[in-house]
Amino acid sequence: MAPPPAADRSSTRKRSGIDSKRVPSLSHDMLCIIFSFLDLFDLVRCSVVCKSWNYAVHKSEILQAFCSRHQKQQMNSGSSSEISFSSEKPLEVCLEEIAMERHKLAFEEAPIKVSHWTGHSVRAEQCRMKMGLILTGVGDKVMRLWSSENFRCLEEYSIPAKVPLVDFDFDEGKIVGLVGRQVCIWSRSGKRSIFPSRECTFEKGLCMRYFDPEAVVGCEDGTAHVFDMYSRRCSRIIRMLPGPVTCLCVSDDQLILGGSVLGNIGVSGLFSDQRVAMLRSRNTVGIRTLCYNASSHLVFAGSTAGHVYCWDLRTMKSLWESRVSPNIVYSLRHLQNDRSSLAVGGIDGILRILEQNTGTVRSCCIMDSRLLSTYQNGLGVVEERIGKRVSYETPIDAINRRNRPQITSLAVGMNKIVTTHNDKFIRLWKFQN
């Protein structure tokens, strides 16, 4: 996609310049009055805009007042919320608990609006979401970076000709992709570089995860190849599993987990060359997707037979197993630091919200056929539709297939989930408080 015209960029900068000059002209008292009308999430966002706004939000005790008001509302309503406040608890902890509680309730009870737009010429099988940005790809010859606010394509990154894109991830400065038998890096400006083939060729790669400064590739021969993003060399090869590594996750405490076609998960340290533990399931069905919650030390896995598993990595013991779908679970994810909700999607096309500690299905969501509105996003039309919840006992065949296309990948943000469907379109589910 071509960048915006120079005139548009210039006018954008001018508008930004005018706004930045106006911000300091607002007095501290005026800022406090304005901020007093905002909700929690808007307050937190405002606190990171600049020093004067941060000072106004924190020093005026607006956030403290918000916490106290929230506690009183919970007490008056007789809510069974697990959140407890005390003067000894840091403000940041209170705010995070409130945010996670609202996030959980939104996923389980709130009205749903679904934004649906065509993102690729052929299909998009995978998605990632970070920092208000959505990256989609695998299917045609481009990856596209989207705004989660207005669904405009911000950048696109081309794939080398005749080489398939297998997997990808991104951060603030770069895109990292597994392309054929090589690892590629794209700067966010669009320039691409490829690791030297003598360092990066490996037996067929099936999956990749990136956690700066390493990229880990799971291979068909049961190994995981670890690459350093800065030296651009393979730093180690780990013997993970006796069969193909079908999926990976990398934790922020330097652990690598790889799923197998036999239903087991190999666990290794990032600086080891051997597997250090094995998580075993009761069912010998293939592990299709993995994710790890660092805040609770729980590992979640989805299988080719519709099972979701949970292990505690501290004890290496299974906590629960639940068959939530009649067929393949392609993707499961949770919001960072969220210990309550787990989003699950698969071949039956129903977006499910599970309780992380028990595996209980809390909500089942599909997109209704009713159209709310349409508008242009630069590449095509964005359709706004209603999302609706269906009972867990509702037979799959009783739900129109058009309303539940298979979910090949999903990513979770605060009160929202993005999904891809092995088709041209992308969906963003907004759970409205």
Side-chain angles (χ1 to χ4, degrees), residues 33 48 55 73 101 113 142-144 190 255 363 368 376:
I33 293 172
V48 297
Y55 180 86
Q73 289 172 349
E101 182 195 33
K113 185 169 74 172
V142 295
M143 292 179 290
R144 289 198 167 102
L255 287 175
S363 183
D368 196 283
Q376 291 286 331

Side-chain angles (χ1 to χ4, degrees), residues 24-285:
S25 67
L26 296 175
S27 67
H28 175 79
D29 292 341
M30 184 62 70
L31 285 172
C32 291
I33 293 172
I34 295 172
F35 292 155
S36 66
F37 290 97
L38 301 182
D39 197 2
L40 170 65
F41 300 120
D42 293 324
L43 278 173
V44 173
R45 291 188 184 103
C46 288
S47 70
V48 297
V49 169
C50 62
K51 290 182 179 179
S52 63
W53 285 27
N54 181 278
Y55 180 86
V57 171
H58 286 86
K59 296 302 180 180
S60 61
E61 300 184 348
I62 296 176
L63 291 177
Q64 289 91 331
F66 188 97
C67 289
S68 299
R69 185 167 67 250
H70 181 85
Q71 183 182 23
K72 290 179 181 178
Q73 289 172 349
Q74 294 295 326
M75 294 174 62
N76 294 335
S77 64
S79 172
S80 60
S81 170
E82 298 177 357
I83 295 179
S84 61
F85 298 100
S86 70
S87 59
E88 298 178 356
K89 187 179 291 188
L91 176 61
E92 291 75 12
V93 175
C94 294
L95 293 173
E96 182 174 320
E97 289 180 351
I98 294 174
M100 290 301 103
E101 182 195 33
R102 288 192 168 192
H103 175 73
K104 173 186 176 181
L105 292 175
F107 272 10
E108 295 180 2
E109 302 174 5
I112 308 168
K113 185 169 74 172
V114 184
S115 300
H116 170 109
W117 74 97
T118 299
H120 292 261
S121 60
V122 180
R123 68 183 191 276
E125 293 181 359
Q126 294 194 37
C127 59
R128 305 285 183 267
M129 179 163 57
K130 298 176 183 178
M131 306 164 294
L133 301 172
I134 301 169
L135 184 66
T136 60
V138 184
D140 58 6
K141 284 298 180 180
V142 295
M143 292 179 290
R144 289 198 167 102
L145 191 68
W146 308 87
S147 164
S148 63
E149 295 299 323
N150 56 24
F151 318 118
R152 287 192 172 274
C153 180
L154 305 176
E155 296 287 347
E156 64 179 37
Y157 307 90
S158 60
I159 312 301
K162 300 181 181 180
V163 183
L165 174 65
V166 180
D167 208 343
F168 58 84
D169 207 341
F170 77 106
D171 61 17
E172 296 90 342
K174 57 185 173 295
I175 316 292
V176 181
L178 173 59
V179 181
R181 296 189 176 187
Q182 294 180 315
V183 175
C184 292
I185 302 176
W186 292 259
S187 70
R188 288 282 293 274
S189 63
K191 184 178 180 181
R192 174 174 55 86
S193 63
I194 302 177
F195 280 20
S197 59
R198 66 180 182 275
E199 297 289 349
C200 278
T201 52
F202 36 76
E203 194 66 28
K204 185 179 179 182
L206 302 178
C207 53
M208 186 210 74
R209 283 296 176 266
Y210 165 63
F211 192 90
D212 193 57
E214 278 91 17
V216 184
V217 176
C219 299
E220 197 171 43
D221 62 359
T223 62
H225 291 234
V226 181
F227 297 99
D228 183 87
M229 295 286 97
Y230 300 100
S231 67
R232 302 195 178 188
R233 292 179 178 272
C234 180
S235 58
R236 68 198 64 87
I237 299 175
I238 304 170
R239 302 291 173 183
M240 293 286 295
L241 296 163
V245 179
T246 54
C247 53
L248 281 169
C249 66
V250 181
S251 75
D252 55 4
D253 48 2
Q254 300 179 335
L255 287 175
I256 301 173
L257 298 95
S260 76
V261 294
L262 301 177
N264 300 322
I265 297 172
V267 183
S268 175
L270 196 58
F271 300 104
S272 169
D273 61 357
Q274 297 291 330
R275 183 184 69 233
V276 297
M278 182 78 84
L279 305 178
R280 302 183 184 277
S281 65
R282 297 174 188 171
N283 304 293
T284 55
V285 292

Side-chain angles (χ1 to χ4, degrees), residues 375-390:
Y375 61 90
Q376 291 286 331
N377 74 337
L379 285 180
V381 176
V382 179
E383 298 179 350
E384 300 285 357
R385 296 182 181 272
I386 290 290
K388 70 176 184 179
R389 303 178 191 272
V390 296

